[in-house]
Amino acid sequence: MAYILQVDFPHDGIFGEEFSKAFIDLANDISQEAGLIWKIWTENETTKEAGGIYLFSNENDAKRYLEKHTLRLESFGYKNIRGKIFKVNEALSFITNANFLK
């Protein structure tokens, strides 16, 4: 069973290539998280938001990471951090090309 973690927060800073360069060490750290299958980094310069969509192999690791990441973001000065965890419906997801779950 797989779980999606969706995180977003107001971000009034850098975007695009600058964002990528600034957070490469964080990306490398996140890649080592227990239970993490992948993360997609999200950003919207127009609405001044950033965040990510994560796929975890289990709910406990998703919950643990959400707590850890929220504290980390708060230590960076971010506020109004939103996080949600969803169970993936694998049967329907396979039909709609979610082959990464196989």
Side-chain angles (χ1 to χ4, degrees), residues 7-11 48-51 73 78-82:
V7 176
D8 62 84
F9 48 89
H11 175 70
K48 303 290 188 208
E49 294 175 285
L73 289 169
Y78 289 106
K79 296 180 173 140
N80 301 317
I81 301 156
R82 297 170 296 272

Side-chain angles (χ1 to χ4, degrees), residues 10-39:
H11 175 70
D12 192 23
I14 57 176
F15 289 91
E17 190 175 332
E18 279 185 275
F19 189 87
S20 297
K21 288 178 183 176
F23 291 104
I24 195 162
D25 289 338
L26 180 58
N28 283 315
D29 182 65
I30 291 170
S31 74
Q32 301 304 308
E33 286 295 327
L36 179 69
I37 298 170
W38 50 250
K39 174 185 180 180

Side-chain angles (χ1 to χ4, degrees), residues 48-102:
K48 303 290 188 208
E49 294 175 285
I53 306 293
Y54 307 72
L55 182 65
F56 279 89
S57 61
N58 65 82
E59 186 176 19
N60 287 337
D61 283 332
K63 287 179 178 178
R64 176 198 48 76
Y65 180 75
L66 175 57
E67 183 177 319
K68 174 183 175 179
H69 194 49
T70 299
L71 291 172
R72 175 172 34 208
L73 289 169
E74 289 172 342
S75 78
F76 293 163
Y78 289 106
K79 296 180 173 140
N80 301 317
I81 301 156
R82 297 170 296 272
K84 295 180 181 181
I85 296 173
F86 300 91
K87 186 190 306 186
V88 174
N89 182 314
E90 294 182 9
L92 294 175
S93 297
F94 286 138
I95 294 169
T96 56
N97 301 316
N99 298 324
F100 56 82
L101 295 169
K102 290 181 181 176

